[in-house]
Each structure stands twice: as C-alpha cells, then as structure tokens.
C-alpha cells in the first residue's frame, strides 16, 4: 500500500481514511465481530470436527488473505475493514485456546505474556511513529502496527476473560456485567478528560471478553447448574454465528451507504494540548488506577467465595464406591450397552485426536443418560447416583453443562475410561 493523502470533503476538512471514526457504530460492530469470533470458531472447531489446531491454520491463511486486501486499499472501506476484524477476532481467540487447551499453558501466564507483548508492540509503535492514535493511521507502517496491535488485544482479551471465569466461577451470563461495567467506567473517565488513546485501547481490549461472554451466554444450554445462576438461551454456536453475521452485514451495508463513520478530521486528530486538558488527563489517570484496584479487589473477593459449580457437588455425591459393573447390575442390558457404545465412541475419537467427534458423542451420552434417568434411578438409586457422579466428571472434561472450557484430551480419556469401567 502506498501512503495516501487525506481526502477533502465539501467543507474542506481532511479525512483520515484507513480506519473508521470511533462512533457508537464502531463499538456496536466491534462487539458483534467479537461475538462471532467466539461462536464461529467453536462451531468450526467442535461441531464440524475440524479440530482446534487445524481451525487455527485455516484462519491464519484466511487472515493473511484478507489482511493483504485491506493493506492494498487506499482508504477506509467498511466491508474489507470489518471482515478483517472478524477474522482477526477468530484467529486471536484460537491462538490463546491452543496455548490453553493444547499446550496446557495456565491462563495467568498467557495473560501476562500477551500483556508484555502488547506493551512491546505499543513501545515500538511509539518509538517509530511518535503516536498511538488510530486517527493517524495514514501510512502502511502505521497500519501494520495497528493490525498487529488488534491481533494481540484479541489474544489478550481471550486470556484475561477466560482467566476471570476461572478465578470467579461465574457463568457466561453473569460475567457479561464485569467488562460492560468497566467499559462504562472508562467511558465516563474519557468524558471527564482521560487520555483518549489510552481510553480507546483499554475499551478495545475489554470488548473481547464482553462479546465472547455474550456469545457463550446465547449459545449455552438453558439449564442452570446452580439455583440463581443466569442460564443461557441455548441457541447453539451455529445459530448465534448466523445471527451476528447477519447483524454485522446489515451494519456494514448501512455504513457503506451512509458513510456515517467517516467523519474524523485532521484538526480533531491533532488538537493541541492545553494546561487544563493535561491536568484533567492526570486526574483521570488516577481514576484508571482506582478502577484497576477496585477490579482486583472484586476478583479476589469472587475467587475466595465458594464456587458452587457442578464439579464440587459431583465430587461430594460419590460417597459410595462400587465395584466395576456393580452400579448397573439392576439396569436393563440394552440401556447399559447403548451408554457403553457412546462412551466408547467418545473415547476412541478423543484418542484419535478427533475432538469434535468426541465432544458430539459425549453430548449424545449426556442426552441418553438424562432421558433414561427416571427409569434407571427408580431401579437402583444408589447405582444411579454413583454412576451419575462419574458421568458428570466426563461432561466436565468436555465443558458440557459446565462453565469451563474443554479440558485436555488426556483428562477426557481418563474420565471416559473410568466411566466405562463403572459400566462393566
């Protein structure tokens, strides 16, 4: 891409064309893109059976293609720009998921590494360009820094968002409130005079966990694991992706027609700093510090609260240790064989690296177990309770009906092997 000169409007003002103006439309479509990044990646990875690593390779190639198209454009065009954001969202999410699910890197380490990486990118960007403002993305080098920063923010947002869920045990519905509240607080600080560049990038990072939690809430099952927990809407990842892709397309068409997000002027991007303005920025910086401290206190408090998730409850129910096959001795053989067949299929797929197939078989196992509960429990309540506890452990490793993400394949295989032993 060659460096372009700003284009003059009818009023004679100068347009900065490579990124859109930060209006309400910017944030709406950014959150929509983030939600699609979470749900669409899960659908391809899990439902279609592509697998996490293969999905990451596919989207890395797609990212290279769409980014090449975006970089060759001479001005901001809504469709390729927001398509790039969607693909970056999916790709950044996948990179963090590989670290967590495939390489077993703790989320706090991922969060720390991506935070340092983001600081390095910002530092090099500043040393080279002397500005981090998206209002001045008018050269190829600045745009390259911009997209690299966006990719790292998505990876960082994924890691910190998942780490928050791990620390607190909150459900996706409840966890929407934290990033939403932080974004609202940042907006108020910006209105009060906080540095606009700092405010923008902080809010930009937080839109990732916000959009992802919204996507998880829409796609997750309605059944609450604990009394009082917000439940999902059970739309599934495919339907959620379709809904948000449709909303993104409608918004992009609107922006293409109206050009309402191409309003930034050269003067606004280079407004002089007054003494009063600098004073307000320093005061607002203290506000950011207080906000960070309050968030830390909230997370520590939530972490120290009893996590009433299903895993601890399941562990307390396994008070009766039965010999292999003892739990199902009074159950119809055909029912036991059907359960064993699904558990064996899930185990075989997990051992073969077919994560999606293993997940699908585990879901079918859950559905069959729940459907037969009234009959089986009436035949042998002790056997059913013992087996149900192990069944819950299997579902936990796959993230089915539990707030956690799927655990490594080795843990899934171990839980399934134990279940098959109990089934006799």
């Amino acid at each position: 891409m060659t460096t372009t000169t700003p284009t003059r409007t009818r009023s004679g003002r100068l347009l900065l064309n490579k990124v859109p103006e930060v209006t309400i439309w910017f944030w709406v479509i950014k959150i929509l893109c983030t939600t699609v990044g979470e749900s669409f990646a899960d659908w391809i990875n899990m439902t279609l059976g592509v697998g996490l690593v293969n999905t990451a390779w596919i989207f890395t190639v797609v990212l290279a293609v769409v980014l090449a198209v975006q970089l060759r454009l001479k001005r901001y065009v809504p469709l390729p720009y927001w398509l790039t954001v969607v693909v970056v969202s999916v790709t950044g999410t996948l990179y963090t998921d590989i670290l967590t699910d495939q390489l077993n890197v703790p989320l706090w380490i991922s969060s720390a590494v991506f935070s340092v990486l983001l600081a390095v990118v910002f530092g090099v960007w500043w040393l080279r360009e002397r500005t981090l403002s998206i209002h001045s993305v008018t050269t190829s080098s600045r745009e390259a820094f911009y997209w690299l920063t966006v990719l790292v923010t998505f990876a960082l947002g994924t890691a910190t968002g998942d780490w928050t869920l791990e620390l607190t045990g909150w459900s996706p519905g409840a966890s929407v409130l934290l990033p939403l509240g932080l974004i609202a607080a940042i907006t108020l600080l910006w209105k009060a005079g906080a540095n606009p560049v700092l405010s923008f990038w902080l809010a930009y990072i937080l839109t990732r966990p916000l959009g992802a939690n919204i996507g998880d809430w829409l796609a997750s099952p309605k059944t609450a694991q604990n009394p009082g927990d917000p439940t999902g809407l059970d739309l599934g990842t495919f339907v959620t992706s379709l809904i948000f892709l449709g909303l993104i397309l409608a918004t992009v068409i609107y922006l293409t027609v109206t050009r309402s997000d191409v309003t930034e002027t050269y003067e606004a991007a280079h407004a002089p700093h007054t003494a009063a303005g600098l004073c307000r920025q320093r005061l607002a910086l203290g506000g950011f510090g207080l906000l960070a401290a309050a968030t830390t206190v909230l997370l520590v408090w939530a972490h120290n609260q009893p996590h009433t998730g299903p895993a601890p409850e399941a562990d307390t129910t396994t008070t009766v240790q039965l010999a292999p096959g003892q739990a199902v001795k009074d159950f119809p053989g055909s029912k036991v064989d059907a359960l064993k067949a699904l558990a064996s299929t899930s185990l075989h797929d997990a051992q073969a690296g077919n994560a999606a197939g293993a997940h699908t078989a585990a879901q079918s196992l859950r559905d069959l177990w729940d459907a037969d509960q009234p009959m089986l429990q009436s035949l042998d309540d002790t056997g059913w309770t013992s087996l149900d506890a192990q069944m819950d452990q299997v579902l936990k490793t796959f993230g089915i009906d539990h707030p956690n993400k799927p655990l490594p394949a080795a843990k899934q295989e171990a839980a399934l092997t134990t279940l098959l032993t109990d089934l006799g």
Side-chain angles (χ1 to χ4, degrees):
M1 186 196 76
T2 57
T3 302
T4 61
T5 57
T7 306
R8 290 188 178 275
T9 65
R10 293 179 181 178
S11 61
R13 292 181 299 180
L14 298 175
L15 294 176
L16 302 173
N17 296 333
K18 287 304 295 184
V19 297
E21 165 63 305
V22 184
T23 64
I24 186 62
W25 291 111
F26 179 94
W27 296 113
V28 167
I29 197 170
K30 170 61 167 60
I31 295 173
L32 293 175
C33 292
T34 302
T35 303
V36 167
E38 178 77 6
S39 59
F40 194 56
D42 288 345
W43 179 66
I44 293 178
N45 172 27
M46 303 302 297
T47 306
L48 295 187
V50 177
L52 183 59
V53 175
N54 290 335
T55 304
W57 277 114
I58 291 172
F59 274 95
T60 299
V61 174
V62 174
L63 174 61
V65 173
V66 297
L67 192 57
V69 173
Q70 168 63 25
L71 292 173
R72 288 179 64 86
L73 296 174
K74 295 182 178 181
R75 61 182 178 85
Y76 161 67
V77 181
L79 181 58
Y81 175 88
W82 288 111
L83 177 60
T84 305
V85 173
V86 170
V87 177
V88 170
S89 172
V90 177
T91 308
T93 299
L94 289 169
Y95 290 164
T96 300
D97 287 346
I98 287 176
L99 290 176
T100 304
D101 300 334
Q102 296 289 328
L103 302 180
N104 297 322
V105 177
L107 286 168
W108 72 267
I109 293 180
S110 299
S111 300
V113 169
F114 285 126
S115 296
V116 172
L117 181 58
L118 182 60
V120 171
V121 173
F122 275 141
V124 176
W125 185 357
W126 169 260
L127 290 175
R128 180 180 172 87
E129 305 294 340
R130 293 299 174 181
T131 179
L132 302 178
S133 174
I134 67 166
H135 297 150
S136 59
V137 181
T138 56
T139 67
S140 57
S141 62
R142 290 181 180 181
E143 188 176 12
F145 279 119
Y146 172 76
W147 286 113
L148 178 59
T149 302
V150 170
L151 178 61
V152 177
T153 61
F154 273 112
L156 175 60
T158 301
T160 55
D162 290 347
W163 187 28
T164 299
L165 293 178
E166 183 181 87
L167 285 172
T168 62
W170 291 338
S171 66
S175 61
V176 168
L177 300 177
L178 179 60
L180 185 62
L182 290 174
I183 290 173
I186 290 170
T187 302
L188 292 176
L189 288 170
W190 168 68
K191 290 284 188 181
N195 183 283
V197 176
L198 177 61
S199 301
F200 170 82
W201 286 115
L202 288 175
Y204 200 94
I205 294 170
L206 288 168
T207 56
R208 195 281 160 197
L210 173 61
N213 291 338
I214 292 175
D216 286 342
W217 175 61
L218 292 173
S220 60
K222 294 181 179 180
T223 305
Q225 295 302 308
N226 304 287
D229 275 359
T231 59
L233 297 186
D234 203 15
L235 297 181
T237 54
F238 180 68
V239 174
T240 301
S241 299
L242 283 182
I243 291 174
F244 279 81
L245 284 172
L247 292 174
I248 291 171
L249 182 59
T251 307
V252 167
I253 292 174
Y254 170 80
L255 295 176
T256 301
V257 173
T258 64
R259 304 287 289 173
S260 60
D261 60 341
V262 187
T263 57
E264 181 56 53
T265 67
Y266 183 89
E267 290 79 7
H270 297 76
H273 297 294
T274 63
L278 291 174
C279 182
R280 287 195 297 270
Q281 287 192 16
R282 293 190 185 98
L283 291 175
L285 191 60
F288 283 129
L290 291 175
L291 185 61
T295 303
T296 301
V297 170
L298 174 62
L299 293 177
V300 170
W301 173 83
H303 177 63
N304 290 329
Q305 299 304 302
H307 290 180
T308 56
E313 293 179 359
D315 291 341
T316 60
T317 60
T318 53
T319 56
V320 179
Q321 299 296 327
L322 301 178
Q326 186 69 18
V328 297
K329 63 181 179 62
D330 294 327
F331 296 165
S334 59
K335 297 294 184 181
V336 176
D337 290 341
L339 293 170
K340 290 171 66 175
L342 288 172
S344 297
T345 300
S346 183
L347 176 60
H348 179 269
D349 287 341
Q351 293 172 335
N354 183 4
H359 188 275
T360 299
Q363 284 183 316
S364 299
L365 180 64
R366 183 272 313 271
D367 294 341
L368 180 60
W369 180 251
D370 289 347
D372 290 341
Q373 175 186 351
M375 178 192 68
L376 298 180
Q377 192 170 10
S378 65
L379 294 174
D380 185 353
D381 181 69
T382 300
W384 181 89
T385 301
S386 176
L387 202 58
D388 184 64
Q390 184 55 41
M391 189 74 69
D392 193 67
Q393 290 299 313
V394 170
L395 298 179
K396 179 186 176 183
T397 65
F398 285 96
I400 299 173
D401 296 340
H402 289 69
N404 63 283
K405 286 195 172 185
L407 301 180
K411 294 186 177 181
Q412 296 173 356
E413 294 168 18
L416 285 165
T417 300
T418 301
L419 176 62
L420 284 167
T421 300
D422 290 344
L423 287 170

